[in-house]
Amino acid sequence: MWLLISVFLSIIVIYLLNRLVQQTSEPILSRKVFTGIETHALIVIDDEISSMETVVNTLVRFIGISEKQAINLMLRIHKEGMAIVWTGDRNSAEQYLTEIQRARLQCFLTEIVSNNY
């Protein structure tokens, strides 16, 4: 069962990363350049409870991005159902995950699997 969930989440991450790369019309401020050393991605899921303002404020407060970047991510979460809001090392990712979950946003953490061996 856990293997099936892991595969499903990996497919979602790959899909979201592909969408991120394909969207060239998006303002440059909301795009992050992947350096190749990121090992984990933090994904926020749209829910019916959190307001758009809460999502923006939480992203600004805990991830440390600008309000404009947070608004762009919030709109992506709202339109597409989820969005990768941060990538980086595991320890920081777990810390951000805990903080964002305390703010009552629905999110999860997934490992980025590289095919560049």
Side-chain angles (χ1 to χ4, degrees):
M1 179 69 174
W2 286 108
L3 179 62
L4 183 61
I5 292 170
S6 177
V7 169
F8 178 71
L9 292 177
S10 295
I11 291 170
I12 290 172
V13 169
I14 292 168
Y15 169 77
L16 290 173
L17 288 172
N18 283 335
R19 293 282 307 224
L20 183 67
V21 170
Q22 290 173 355
Q23 292 185 351
T24 57
S25 62
E26 182 182 356
I28 221 142
L29 286 175
S30 68
R31 278 191 271 144
K32 178 175 180 177
V33 177
F34 293 99
T35 63
I37 59 172
E38 291 89 355
T39 59
H40 287 77
L42 182 62
I43 300 172
V44 174
I45 304 169
D46 190 22
D47 62 29
E48 300 296 323
I49 300 167
S50 303
S51 68
M52 292 180 178
E53 183 178 358
T54 300
V55 173
V56 170
N57 291 338
T58 301
L59 294 175
V60 168
R61 181 176 176 199
F62 294 117
I63 297 182
I65 59 177
S66 71
E67 188 172 344
K68 185 172 184 174
Q69 289 171 314
I71 290 170
N72 285 335
L73 286 171
M74 176 273 301
L75 290 172
R76 177 173 285 159
I77 293 165
H78 181 69
K79 290 178 183 175
E80 297 181 15
M82 65 178 74
I84 298 171
V85 298
W86 184 86
T87 60
D89 64 281
R90 180 183 179 136
N91 290 337
S92 298
E94 289 174 347
Q95 191 173 29
Y96 287 139
L97 177 71
T98 301
E99 292 170 348
I100 291 175
Q101 286 176 335
R102 280 188 196 146
R104 305 280 188 224
L105 294 186
Q106 299 295 316
C107 60
F108 66 92
L109 185 62
T110 188
E111 187 173 3
I112 299 172
V113 179
S114 174
N115 292 330
N116 300 329
Y117 293 106

